[in-house]
Structures are given as C-alpha cells and as structure tokens.
Amino acid sequence: MRKIVLMMSMSLDGFIEGRDHDIDWHVVDDELHQHFNDQLRTMGGLLAGRVTHELMAGYWPTADADPDASGPEAEFAGIWREMPKFVFSRTLERADWNTTIVREVTVERIRELTAQPGGDLALSGAHLAASFLRLDLVDEYRLYIHPVLIGRGTPLFPDADTRTRLELTGTRTFGNGVVLLRYTRNGGPEEA
C-alpha cells in the first residue's frame, strides 16, 4: 500500500498560509528547492485541492522556459508536468497536465488510490490537508518549519477530539534556517 505523505511548509507559529492566503514568507532557496525535487521525484502522485492545483498549473507547466528560473526551478517544472496529479474539487470541470479530478475526499476513494501500484502520494493544500487529517488518512508528516512568526492565518492542524501518536523518524536543518521534521504514525487515533 502506498502511503499518504503530508508535505507542508509552515511558520514556526503553526500557520501554512497568512491571513490573505499569502505564502510570501516562505524561505525557499536552491538547496531547499533541490530537496523538494529529490523528495517529489520518488512520489507516485500529487494530491492537491483546486486552489493549490490552479496556482501550480498557472506557473509550473512552462517555468523551465523562463531564462531567470534557477536550475532547481526548471527541474521542478519537468517533475510537476510528468507527475500524476489528483485534484480534489467539486467545481473544476477539466484539468490538464496529467491530472485526474476527484470530487470527494472519502476513506474509500483514498484507499483505492493507495492500493494502486507506484510510489507514495504527496499531499498539499490547506483545506485538503485538513480533510485528510479529519479522516485520519495521513501516514507520514514532513513538516518544513520556516524561521518566521506570521501571527495569524490558516493553521495546519484543525481542532480535533482525538490524539494521534507520532514517531520522529528524521530531522534536517537547511542553510536558510528551515528545519524539516519527519514523523510517522505510531498507532491510530485516541480519544483526547
């Protein structure tokens, strides 16, 4: 079975986007971008919500044609184009670039995706991640903590009445101050 891997950048105070959905506080340099490329290249697919998918589709299909794109940015454009993508949306009518539209986040549908052959599935997007977390569908967490406090915005973790035990499986500090924390599930949810 493939795993669902939540890969998310967040501020030190726990937000994944600012109050106006801004992410201009992300500290992404070539080292971190290359790391993202190396991680995503091994994945079997990307899971994203409509907003995240449309933002990505608005830039990455042709980003490698930009003469100002760094090496890791140009490389990511190719990874993104070729990677199978699943966009979760009730309203999106069509999507290009190797994308399948999925209408609902259900345990059954996600289990169908994880039962297919291939690499693990990378999950991103503020609202989609919250849906997966509520349904206890995340197997691994790769949290990229950026060295900034933004005060308010969209928190990564929604309120819940359960506890999920996690096991720390790795850390990495990048030159720009971002810290990666990797956790895997250590059992199922418990009453809080």
Side-chain angles (χ1 to χ4, degrees):
M1 294 278 288
R2 303 195 285 184
K3 294 185 297 187
I4 302 294
V5 179
L6 175 60
M7 296 180 69
M8 193 70 70
S9 287
M10 61 188 286
S11 64
L12 183 59
D13 51 352
F15 298 104
I16 56 178
E17 62 183 9
R19 64 179 141 195
D20 296 320
H21 308 289
D22 60 286
I23 59 170
D24 60 353
W25 48 268
H26 284 194
V27 183
V28 180
D29 59 7
D30 282 351
E31 177 193 18
L32 183 57
H33 209 297
Q34 186 62 54
H35 168 81
F36 289 149
N37 292 354
D38 296 342
Q39 296 295 301
L40 290 171
R41 187 180 295 106
T42 68
M43 294 290 172
L46 302 174
L47 308 173
R50 180 190 56 79
V51 172
T52 299
H53 177 75
E54 287 179 339
L55 286 171
M56 301 291 278
Y59 179 73
W60 289 112
T62 60
D64 50 353
D66 182 348
D68 294 328
S70 69
E73 289 174 329
E75 180 183 355
F76 182 77
I79 294 169
W80 188 88
R81 278 194 305 266
E82 299 303 316
M83 179 73 60
K85 290 169 279 303
F86 300 89
V87 59
F88 289 78
S89 173
R90 292 184 191 107
T91 59
L92 195 63
E93 294 298 323
R94 67 182 290 275
D96 296 321
W97 306 108
N98 200 15
T99 302
T100 300
I101 298 171
V102 181
R103 295 293 176 207
E104 298 286 334
V105 178
T106 64
V107 172
E108 297 78 22
R109 180 64 174 123
I110 302 311
R111 294 295 175 231
E112 288 173 10
L113 288 175
T114 58
Q116 295 174 6
D120 293 337
L121 302 170
L123 170 64
S124 65
H127 300 290
L128 184 63
S131 295
F132 274 68
L133 290 165
R134 272 193 294 281
L135 294 172
D136 192 36
L137 293 170
V138 177
D139 301 300
E140 182 178 332
Y141 299 79
R142 295 182 192 173
L143 305 178
Y144 296 86
I145 313 302
H146 291 249
V148 62
L149 302 170
I150 64 171
R152 66 174 106 162
T154 304
L156 173 56
F157 297 103
D159 288 342
D161 294 325
T162 59
R163 250 181 234 147
T164 302
R165 302 273 180 203
L166 303 174
E167 180 180 337
L168 181 66
T169 58
T171 64
R172 178 173 173 183
T173 302
F174 296 89
N176 62 8
V178 171
V179 175
L180 165 62
L181 301 174
R182 285 183 71 161
Y183 293 94
T184 57
R185 294 169 53 98
N186 190 359
E190 308 166 354
E191 294 278 329

